[in-house]
Amino acid sequence: MAGLYINHDSSELPENKPWDALLALIHEFNCAQVKASGLTLNSNLENLIRQSRVEDVRYALKVVEDKRKQEVVKNPEGLFYRVLVNRR
């Protein structure tokens, strides 16, 4: 699944319904991981997660988690957003 982007064009696939269902599950899983970490999702973050690779989302979560262990993070959602944008 490395290098998988969720904002692909699946119109070329013969049966894109199963592919779309899989991508929707991946998106929901990523959002659930972010929510479980204590971050609040808004529509901008959800769109960014949808357009990002799974490993980039996990990396951004790890950075936020590590930073929280070191110091108080006043805006963890902003840190997550910035890390994720910089990884793209």
Side-chain angles (χ1 to χ4, degrees):
M1 196 156 41
L4 174 67
Y5 283 92
I6 295 180
N7 61 345
H8 73 287
D9 178 17
S10 62
S11 61
E12 296 177 11
L13 297 174
E15 297 177 12
N16 61 1
K17 286 186 180 184
W19 185 251
D20 289 342
L22 176 62
L23 293 175
L25 284 174
I26 291 169
H27 170 68
E28 289 302 317
F29 179 74
N30 281 342
C31 287
Q33 281 186 314
V34 173
K35 288 178 185 176
S37 73
L39 298 177
T40 304
L41 290 180
N42 60 24
S43 59
N44 289 334
L45 278 178
E46 283 192 28
N47 287 335
L48 183 61
I49 291 169
R50 183 179 295 117
Q51 296 170 358
S52 300
R53 296 180 303 172
V54 173
E55 54 268 20
D56 291 342
V57 173
R58 289 183 180 161
Y59 176 80
L61 282 174
K62 177 94 173 103
V63 169
V64 171
E65 179 184 315
D66 291 347
K67 200 61 145 168
R68 281 179 163 171
K69 289 178 183 177
Q70 296 171 2
E71 60 188 70
V72 175
V73 178
K74 292 183 180 181
N75 184 3
E77 291 82 4
L79 176 60
F80 175 79
Y81 180 87
R82 183 54 43 211
V83 171
L84 198 50
V85 165
N86 288 341
R87 285 285 288 200
R88 296 175 76 208

